[in-house]
Amino acid sequence: MVQAESLSSQQRVYKRWIAGTILLGAIAFILFASITIYIDPLFHFHAPLDKYEYLINLQRYQNDGILRNFEYDSIITGTSMTENFMTSEADNLFQAKFIKVPFSGAPYKEIDQNLRRAYEAGKNIRYVIRCLDYSLLVCDKDYWREDVIYPLYLYNNNLFDDVNYVLNKDILFHQTLGVIEYTKGGNSTTSFDDYANWNDSFIYGAEAVLAAYAPGEAVSLPRVLSEEESTMVIENIRQNVLELALSHPETEFFLFFPPYSICYWDTLKTNGQVDWRIDAEQAAIEELLKAPNIKLYSFCNNFELVCNLDNYKDQAHYGEWVNSWILEWIKNDEWRLTKDNYQEYLSEIRDFYNNYNYSSLRE
C-alpha cells in the first residue's frame, strides 16, 4: 500500500514536471515570437515602429512588407535598372509619395506578382514607374528564377507559415536584435534614395565597360524572331504587364525600356541578334500601347546617352544620374512611344545599331 502511494506520488510529480516543461516551453516560444512580431524587421506585420531605426537591405525579404504596410501612393519597381532611382526626386517631380521596391534580376512575372500584392493590400496607387528589361522580354510568361532564394512564407496569407519567420533563430539574432543594435548605433532607417543604391560602389567609363565583356566572333547568319518567340513575348507582356494595367485604370503606369549601352548592342550585332531583339521589342510595344493608362518610353534612340560609356559600369548598368534623367524625361513626356511614332522609332534604332562602327569602341 505504501509502495503504491509512493508510486502515485512519483507519477503526480512527473506529470507536473511534464506540464511545467510544456508550459515553460510555450512561454519561451511566445516570448521568442513576440520580439520578432513586435519589432518586425521584415515589415511582415506592420510598418517600422517610430522608436526603432531599420536597415532596409533585403529585397526579397522586405519588399513585400514594404508594399503592404508602408504609407505611399506611388511605386518605383523593376530590376537592378531601378535600384539607383531616388524617390525624393520622384516625389518632387510628380508631387507624390513613392516607395522603391527593386527585385534584382527579376523576370516580368515576379515584378507583376509583387505589384499585385500592393493592390490586394488595399493600396490606392497613383503612379507605377517600372522598367521592362530587354534581357527578360523573350521569356515564358511563367518563367521564375530558380537560383534565387524566395521566402514564400512571407508572400502568402497562411498564418501557419509565419512560424518560419517568428520562430526563426537567424532572423531573431541577425535581423530582430539587429534592429535594436542598429538603433543604438545612432543610425537612421534606410531611405528609399539609399535603399539598394549601388552607384558609389563601381567605376564608370569606357575602360571599365570594355574590360567587362568580349563580343566574340561574328556569326554568319542573323537570328530571326520565330513565331513561337513572338507569341512568348506577347503572352509575357499580356499576363505580366498589360493585365494589371487594364485592371487598374485608376493608376498611371510609366513603363520604360532601360537604355543599355552601345556595348550591349555590340554583342547583339556580333551574335546576329539586332533585328531579332528589335522585332521582339516591336511585339511588346504593340501590346503595351493597347492600354490607355500606360505611358511607354524608350531611350535607345538617345544615342548621345547610349554611346557615352562614361554613363555605364558595364554593358547595361548606368549610373544614378541616368536614373535622374529618366525621371525627368518621363515627367516631361520625352522619348515616349506612341501609336503615331513607334514605327519611326523602330526604323531609327534598326538602322543605327545595324550600321554602327563597333570596331571604333576599342580603337
Side-chain angles (χ1 to χ4, degrees):
M1 183 68 177
V2 173
Q3 184 178 2
E5 289 178 354
S6 176
L7 183 59
S8 178
S9 176
Q10 290 176 356
Q11 290 174 338
R12 286 195 297 272
V13 170
Y14 179 70
K15 288 179 180 179
R16 283 198 296 270
W17 179 83
I18 292 292
T21 300
I22 293 173
L23 179 61
L24 287 173
I27 292 172
F29 276 120
I30 291 171
L31 289 174
F32 192 113
S34 296
I35 299 172
T36 293
I37 291 171
Y38 174 66
I39 294 178
D40 197 12
L42 305 185
F43 318 122
H44 186 55
F45 302 107
H46 56 76
L49 301 174
D50 291 339
K51 64 185 295 185
Y52 293 107
E53 305 295 335
Y54 293 73
L55 178 63
I56 306 179
N57 64 345
L58 300 170
Q59 292 182 7
R60 287 175 170 86
Y61 284 82
Q62 293 174 311
N63 280 353
D64 181 68
I66 292 170
L67 283 163
R68 291 186 297 104
N69 294 317
F70 278 45
E71 292 296 324
Y72 62 91
D73 64 17
S74 299
I75 301 170
I76 295 173
T77 191
T79 62
S80 55
M81 298 296 149
T82 65
E83 289 176 328
N84 290 341
F85 277 118
M86 296 188 187
T87 57
S88 61
E89 294 179 347
D91 290 349
N92 290 331
L93 285 168
F94 293 88
Q95 294 300 296
K97 187 174 183 180
F98 277 88
I99 55 169
K100 181 177 69 177
V101 281
F103 296 83
S104 181
Y108 285 26
K109 182 173 183 177
E110 182 179 352
I111 302 296
D112 176 69
Q113 293 298 302
N114 279 281
L115 281 172
R116 290 174 185 272
R117 294 282 285 173
Y119 287 102
E120 290 167 2
K123 299 297 183 181
N124 296 314
I125 303 169
R126 294 172 60 197
Y127 306 122
V128 170
I129 297 175
R130 174 184 176 181
C131 77
L132 302 173
D133 283 71
Y134 295 119
S135 59
L136 296 158
L137 183 57
V138 188
C139 286
D140 183 86
K141 62 184 174 61
D142 294 316
Y143 170 63
W144 199 276
R145 287 183 60 183
E146 296 182 357
D147 61 326
V148 173
I149 298 175
Y150 219 83
L152 294 177
Y153 55 87
L154 297 175
Y155 288 79
N156 60 39
N157 299 317
N158 184 351
L159 290 175
F160 295 104
D161 273 7
D162 289 345
V163 297
N164 294 294
Y165 174 43
V166 301
L167 296 180
N168 188 312
K169 177 171 63 69
D170 288 336
I171 287 176
L172 174 66
F173 288 108
H174 295 126
Q175 304 303 323
T176 305
L177 299 182
V179 169
I180 297 173
E181 291 302 314
Y182 186 73
T183 304
K184 287 181 177 178
N187 300 291
S188 298
T189 296
T190 308
S191 73
F192 286 117
D193 284 358
D194 295 327
Y195 175 37
N197 189 310
W198 41 259
N199 183 77
D200 294 339
S201 300
F202 294 94
I203 297 172
Y204 299 83
E207 185 176 352
V209 177
L210 295 172
Y213 87 106
E217 294 186 10
V219 299
S220 57
L221 293 175
R223 182 175 178 180
V224 176
L225 188 74
S226 68
E227 184 176 342
E228 181 182 358
E229 288 174 323
S230 180
T231 299
M232 190 181 298
V233 171
I234 292 170
E235 290 179 348
N236 192 15
I237 291 294
R238 284 179 179 173
Q239 174 182 286
N240 300 317
V241 185
L242 191 61
E243 183 181 295
L244 184 65
L246 292 174
S247 299
H248 292 280
E250 75 280 6
T251 304
E252 196 164 14
F253 290 81
F254 298 103
L255 309 180
F256 70 93
F257 295 111
Y260 297 168
S261 82
I262 190 64
C263 292
Y264 162 80
W265 292 94
D266 183 15
T267 301
L268 288 181
K269 178 64 174 177
T270 301
N271 294 333
Q273 295 180 347
V274 171
D275 289 315
W276 173 83
R277 218 286 287 136
I278 294 174
D279 288 343
E281 182 181 356
Q282 178 172 349
I285 290 171
E286 290 173 351
E287 287 300 310
L288 292 166
L289 292 180
K290 293 178 180 178
N293 58 329
I294 285 179
K295 289 186 175 180
L296 180 63
Y297 302 82
S298 179
F299 315 105
C300 291
N301 57 334
N302 185 338
F303 304 124
E304 182 179 356
L305 164 66
V306 170
C307 296
N308 184 355
L309 295 183
D310 287 341
N311 291 317
Y312 297 87
K313 75 176 185 69
D314 56 32
Q315 287 189 67
H317 294 86
Y318 37 79
E320 65 181 13
W321 56 92
V322 178
N323 294 84
S324 298
W325 294 341
I326 289 172
L327 287 178
E328 292 175 1
W329 291 330
I330 289 175
K331 176 58 180 173
N332 295 328
D333 218 27
E334 299 178 60
W335 308 102
R336 183 178 169 190
L337 300 177
T338 68
K339 292 179 180 178
D340 293 329
N341 71 11
Y342 84 92
Q343 291 282 9
E344 180 182 353
Y345 155 80
L346 292 169
S347 295
E348 183 180 17
I349 63 170
R350 195 183 299 274
D351 178 67
F352 184 86
Y353 292 117
N354 270 311
N355 296 296
Y356 186 83
N357 180 16
Y358 293 100
S359 61
S360 66
L361 293 172
R362 296 185 181 274
E363 291 178 354

